Structures are given as structure tokens and as C-alpha cells.
Amino acid sequence: MESGPALDSAGGTWVPAFYIGAHAAVAGYGLLTRDEGRDRAAVPRLRLITPGD
């Protein structure tokens, strides 16, 4: 049995998004997102750029 990627509650792929966010945090980049809650929970120290900014 093959396991697929971990999915978020909306059915999107969560694992690649986590790696992108973690890479941005380590490199000191910001991340453009519409889902601030999910990204803030996954990588708390990440600087998020949201539509309201």
C-alpha cells in the first residue's frame, strides 16, 4: 500500500507547503499566503504577507 502526501483539512497538500514555509523561515524570507492560520501554526516565526497587508 502506497501512502500519499499528507493533506490539510481543505484537501490540499500540506507537506510541501510546510517545507516551503520552513525554508522561507530559515532563509529569512517572507511568505505570501491567503491561509495565515495554517501557515502561522506550521511555522510560527515565519513572516507572512497576507492580502490585508
Side-chain angles (χ1 to χ4, degrees):
M1 180 169 140
E2 292 182 32
S3 64
L7 300 178
D8 66 13
S9 61
T13 305
W14 183 84
V15 173
F18 172 77
Y19 285 122
I20 292 167
H23 175 77
V26 169
Y29 302 143
L31 181 71
L32 181 63
T33 183
R34 281 192 259 164
D35 193 347
E36 183 176 1
R38 179 191 67 185
D39 293 325
R40 177 76 53 225
V43 188
R45 68 183 191 133
L46 181 60
R47 181 175 59 91
L48 298 176
I49 304 163
T50 61
D53 289 346

